Amino acid sequence: MKGCYTSYHSITHIVGDLVRVAMPEPGAAPAVRLADLALIDQDNGSRLAQVTEINGPQVTLQVFDGTKGLATDASVRFLNQPMMVTASDNVLGRIFNGKGEAIDSGPDLSFDKKIPLAGPTVNPMHRVLASKMIRTNVPMIDVFNCLVESQKIPIFSVSGEPHNALLARIGIQADADLVVFGGLGLGFDDYHFFRQSFLSAGLAARTVMFVNQASDSIVERLLVPDLALAVAEFFAVEEGKRVLVLLTDMTAFADALKEVGVANERVPSNRGYTGDLYSQLARRYEKACDYAQGGSLTILSVTTMPGHDVTHPVPDNTGYITEGQFYLHDGKLDPFGSLSRLKQQVAGKQTRRDHSPIMNTMIRFYSESKAAEQKSAMAFDLTEYDQQLLKFGQLFERRFMGLDISMPLEDALDLCWQTLAECFKPEQLLMKQALVDQYFPKQQLAS
């Protein structure tokens, strides 16, 4: 291997995890391309790196294992190929690091099929309009903001909220063929939590995990979404699988981009983030697709909001790219901050005909119940209708908003009708009489 590539002893700068190499005049050396891999050799071993910038004769490399102890007299060998990831049925149940190397002591995969990262986005002509629901058994999602195949949607949260627990639960309960998990900058506790959650639920055999821990290189952190999406795309396109990709936390990805951008002396944009933050995020999210000649790829990510600031560059840019968001607030999915722009594609079409009307009625009454709560807190006189609303608001939060609540969609819709019946008369619902006649609990009508 060592004798196959020309070595260059021309490192000019080492800044952070970046190395700059001065190349010979054009024609005097093999062509170097963006995203190609290289090996940096020194007496203490070799380190893998990737080409991130070419500026005339100067080539910038990101070193995966860091540059600590690296000297400028080290030699550089360009491998003339992009980074590859193993893509075969043998990766199911396996755990990999941010370089795509197995870290679970499983069988060797060196002879399995390899595919390059970051391929082109799918031609729109090969896409199908999103029209299939992914059931999660989470009422606040299935009833009020359906998750749809090929959707790209984040969970907006803050540090300390149980977003990882919610993400794991959705991955376990979701009606999908395969789950590909990408962890970015995870603490060991979070990594262990996801691993044990998938194992305990019996999901490991149809799960692939790519994990970058907080102590690992930030360069590897940048690769985790690409590794996860490349493997997910393989299963969706080549094997027709319905694949759900879980990514946490995309703010850690953006922070890694910022750190590398500073080391690369790029002009910072809003709050120090790189000017191409939108493009970098969109390049990953736009991999979500329902393939005309294959399966589907759905992306559910976590995006933490520093200081609970939704105008922060990461959630702000994410909101323009994705098709809604699940807003996690005070340990609950907020029905007012959450939005699925594709729910109309499935609600009432793939689900019961009462789905859309009951969803809208429940949210209307819950909104009015919050106004009644304010009246009560300010010591205003409450009407009988206000009392009905207060009772409804309490039942709504207890029966639907808890993250530990799990039930099939049809049971959740029936419970919606039961909750309405316990608080209101049929004529107060302002719904079509045919729906009230069919679904309103008969014992309540009799009473």
Side-chain angles (χ1 to χ4, degrees):
M1 182 78 173
K2 272 198 169 185
C4 297
Y5 306 97
T6 305
S7 295
Y8 301 95
H9 297 268
S10 49
I11 295 177
T12 58
H13 295 82
I14 299 176
V15 182
D17 290 330
L18 299 180
V19 167
R20 294 195 176 95
V21 181
M23 297 295 290
E25 291 296 323
V32 176
R33 300 167 299 182
L34 284 174
D36 274 0
L37 293 178
L39 284 175
I40 303 177
D41 299 315
Q42 203 169 248
D43 294 339
N44 57 359
S46 299
R47 308 187 196 194
L48 190 65
Q50 187 177 38
V51 177
T52 59
E53 186 177 355
I54 301 174
N55 187 8
Q58 190 174 74
V59 176
T60 301
L61 305 171
Q62 284 183 352
V63 185
F64 291 106
D65 295 319
T67 58
K68 185 176 180 180
L70 194 66
T72 55
D73 62 354
S75 64
V76 179
R77 292 182 288 141
F78 293 96
L79 305 184
N80 304 121
Q81 68 174 38
M83 188 163 184
M84 312 287 279
V85 62
T86 304
S88 73
D89 289 342
N90 292 330
V91 303
L92 296 176
R94 302 297 301 273
I95 304 174
F96 302 87
N97 63 15
K99 290 185 288 188
E101 299 170 341
I103 56 174
D104 57 0
S105 304
D108 179 40
L109 298 173
S110 58
F111 295 102
D112 284 50
K113 178 180 178 179
K114 303 289 193 296
I115 59 173
L117 302 191
T121 303
V122 178
N123 187 326
M125 292 296 293
H126 295 161
R127 295 174 180 238
V128 177
L129 185 65
S131 61
K132 304 165 195 167
M133 179 178 173
I134 297 179
R135 292 172 177 250
T136 66
N137 289 348
V138 178
M140 291 305 297
I141 294 177
D142 288 357
V143 177
F144 302 102
N145 282 293
C146 305
L147 179 62
V148 183
E149 279 189 37
S150 79
Q151 190 167 16
K152 44 191 180 289
I153 190 165
I155 298 171
F156 281 176
S157 179
V158 296
S159 297
E161 293 282 1
H163 46 257
N164 284 335
L166 175 62
L167 191 70
R169 185 173 155 223
I170 293 173
I172 291 167
Q173 298 181 175
D175 177 25
D177 296 329
L178 299 175
V179 172
V180 180
F181 173 80
L184 300 94
L186 293 182
F188 180 79
D189 288 348
D190 288 326
Y191 160 53
H192 182 72
F193 165 75
F194 279 107
R195 183 176 182 178
Q196 287 303 121
S197 296
F198 294 148
L199 281 171
S200 301
L203 190 70
R206 56 186 184 94
T207 302
V208 187
M209 296 183 68
F210 293 92
V211 178
N212 166 262
Q213 296 188 54
S215 56
D216 294 337
S217 164
I218 64 164
V219 178
E220 294 180 21
R221 196 165 304 164
L222 295 175
L223 289 175
V224 166
D226 293 335
L227 289 164
L229 291 167
V231 171
E233 227 172 12
F234 165 79
F235 282 109
V237 175
E238 301 293 334
E239 301 197 4
K241 302 292 187 182
R242 298 161 61 241
V243 185
L244 176 62
V245 177
L246 307 177
L247 299 173
T248 180
D249 165 6
M250 289 302 286
T251 301
F253 171 81
D255 289 341
L257 278 175
K258 180 203 286 190
E259 209 168 318
V260 170
V262 169
N264 237 333
E265 300 177 358
R266 293 179 183 168
V267 177
S269 183
N270 190 8
R271 302 200 199 183
Y273 287 91
T274 54
D276 65 343
L277 176 61
Y278 179 94
S279 300
Q280 293 283 0
L281 292 172
R283 202 179 101 199
R284 276 80 187 180
Y285 280 117
E286 290 300 335
K287 293 288 184 180
C289 180
D290 193 349
Y291 299 94
Q293 304 293 327
S296 64
L297 195 163
T298 308
I299 301 175
L300 179 63
S301 67
V302 168
T303 298
T304 51
M305 303 178 293
H308 226 133
D309 182 10
V310 75
T311 67
H312 184 275
V314 182
D316 187 39
N317 279 279
T318 301
Y320 284 103
I321 299 165
T322 55
E323 292 140 347
Q325 69 280 330
F326 299 135
Y327 187 61
L328 189 60
H329 180 63
D330 292 336
K332 301 173 183 176
L333 281 174
D334 188 336
F336 304 129
S338 300
L339 168 67
S340 171
R341 294 190 178 95
L342 298 183
K343 63 185 176 185
Q344 291 84 357
Q345 303 292 336
V346 296
K349 298 176 182 177
Q350 281 203 331
T351 60
R352 277 180 10 189
R353 68 181 185 130
D354 62 323
H355 188 168
S356 289
I358 199 73
M359 166 181 66
N360 293 328
T361 301
M362 294 288 286
I363 293 299
R364 171 166 56 87
F365 280 130
Y366 184 63
S367 176
E368 292 183 38
S369 76
K370 304 311 286 184
E373 278 185 21
Q374 289 184 333
K375 287 178 64 177
S376 176
M378 297 172 68
F380 285 106
D381 291 335
L382 298 178
T383 65
E384 181 182 351
Y385 182 61
D386 289 331
Q387 298 291 353
Q388 290 176 291
L389 290 171
L390 289 174
K391 178 182 177 181
F392 174 82
Q394 294 169 357
L395 290 175
F396 184 91
E397 292 181 0
R398 187 168 73 245
R399 292 177 176 178
F400 299 98
M401 292 183 66
L403 296 185
D404 58 339
I405 299 171
S406 177
M407 69 181 81
L409 173 62
E410 288 73 21
D411 291 350
L413 292 175
D414 290 340
L415 186 58
C416 287
W417 282 105
Q418 180 62 40
T419 303
L420 290 173
E422 291 176 19
C423 302
F424 306 102
K425 298 175 181 178
E427 57 269 21
Q428 292 179 293
L429 303 185
L430 304 179
M431 297 175 69
K432 289 183 178 180
Q433 190 61 41
L435 292 176
V436 175
D437 292 342
Q438 181 175 355
Y439 294 106
F440 198 87
K442 298 298 186 289
Q443 65 271 24
Q444 298 293 336
L445 280 173
S447 62

